[in-house]
Amino acid sequence: MKDNAMPILRNGIRVMRGISRDLYEFINGKPLMTPPFVGGTLEAEDARRAQIWLRRREQWYDPDPVVEFEEKFADWNGSKHARAFMGGRVALSAIIHALGLGDGDEVLLPGYTCIVVPNAFHYANVDITYADIELETFGPSVDAFAQKISDRTSAILIHHLYGLVCRDYEGLLQLADENDLYVIEDCTHATGATFRGKKVGNYGDAAFYSSEHSKCLSTVQGGIATTDDDSIAARLGAYARSADYPRPRRLERLLYTLLLDYYEESHPQRWWVKYAYQLLYGNKRLKSTTDAEKKSVRPDFYGQRMPAPLASIGVDQLTKLPKYNKIRRESAAKWDRWSHNHGYETPYVLEDSQPSWLRYPLLVEPERKKDTSWAVEKLGVEIGDWFRTHLHPVERSVKGCPNADHAVSCCINLPTILK
Ligand SMILES: *Cc1c(COP(=O)(O)O)cnc(C)c1O
């Protein structure tokens, strides 16, 4: 009882502050509920699984649910092999290891990415060179990448941001092929996006996906590495086998964070239910990226593999992906009409591709990115403040990438799950 009294008191103070802020905003015209920003794909079944797993500690490190998730993901994605880790960033680290990249190697990265991507290369002592993006899908520009290739370049990273299949996909694959470079695909926004009928991530040497709570599916934190190459897969497997699972205290907090996401962002009555849940468990929330990580320091718990409870939720989330990706496509069509009516260029959809539409990106006036409160008022949604800098979310800029500069000041993103 004594153990519980302090957190509840502290949670209580936080909840009171939350209620007064919500009330104040409501009085000033903000809707009681805006569409979910994280965890939008979580449903009652996922919350139920989290509750059950919280009572089933003796099975937290069973391998079977993890193998099931990996096999089902590989199958769903059309990949030969998949391995689940505690983050897309960790899956990327596993891929870097599996490709044997390290001292003396150099990778070309788009100068518009998440800090955790260069971090993974930095932790492996791989040198990083940034090249510019294009402004149609915010993917790597093939011309900019071609110019930056040197004798030391070993790999390029292709991403499909916001779920749009990148404009120069074929050109980049060809460029890598001609220069004998590995292709790593960052599909953290693009789980389920296709090109020529095949899922993205199956065109390069290896790819990573994310089940972090702001991505296409949620296990709160998590990521999957895929490949069709048996020897790369064997090395991914060795990396996974030598990795730890999150320790019980951390895993418990991850499960509570998932429940908090569900009750705060996805539950049909969340405008009030969230307060009850926050009061009981609000102190358990974990952040996806620690402050140290933002400074490129490798956290102690980095490099872990996914444990059974999260894999079991992943299995359930995977069955819902087609449904949510369909909802996202319908919302994108709605935003297309809105953009059209308001004089904004709609996002570019590469021929023969189907985006996953994690978010709907738009280039708008810089004032509309600086202060996004207009969107709640006009559209009833909160706008993603992703990529206010070149290396989201840290204040670090990348030189020599004028298109990325433009996207940093003008690219906003709208939600595509509008419940
Ligand atoms: C989220 C994200 C990652 C990392 O995925 P995690 O699962 O959070 O580690 C990598 N690249 C991009 C572009 C992302 O948005």
Side-chain angles (χ1 to χ4, degrees), residues 88-89 91-93 95-96 99 101 106-114 116-118 120-121 128-133 138-141 145 153-161 166 169 172-173 175-176 181-188 204 206-208:
R89 65 198 76 179
L92 171 59
S93 281
I95 289 169
I96 294 168
L99 297 178
L101 300 176
E106 180 203 59
V107 64
L108 291 189
L109 299 182
Y112 185 75
T113 183
C114 282
V116 298
V117 171
F121 290 97
I128 296 158
T129 297
Y130 292 102
D132 208 1
I133 55 167
F138 312 96
S141 149
F145 269 54
T153 313
S154 312
I156 63 169
L157 183 130
I158 299 179
H159 64 203
H160 307 283
L161 283 198
C166 72
Y169 204 7
L172 290 159
L173 293 168
L175 179 73
L181 307 175
Y182 286 122
V183 173
I184 303 172
E185 291 189 66
D186 179 341
C187 300
T188 51
F208 59 103

Side-chain angles (χ1 to χ4, degrees), residues 278-320:
Q278 283 169 353
L279 190 64
L280 291 170
Y281 303 111
N283 56 315
K284 307 238 186 228
R285 180 174 277 293
L286 275 179
K287 284 193 271 184
S288 302
T289 304
T290 62
D291 293 338
E293 232 175 330
K294 290 182 188 166
K295 300 193 179 91
S296 297
V297 177
R298 194 179 191 274
D300 299 338
F301 55 79
Y302 190 91
Q304 294 174 339
R305 61 199 294 205
M306 188 182 283
L310 302 185
S312 146
I313 290 164
V315 167
D316 186 57
Q317 283 282 291
L318 199 53
T319 64
K320 299 186 173 116

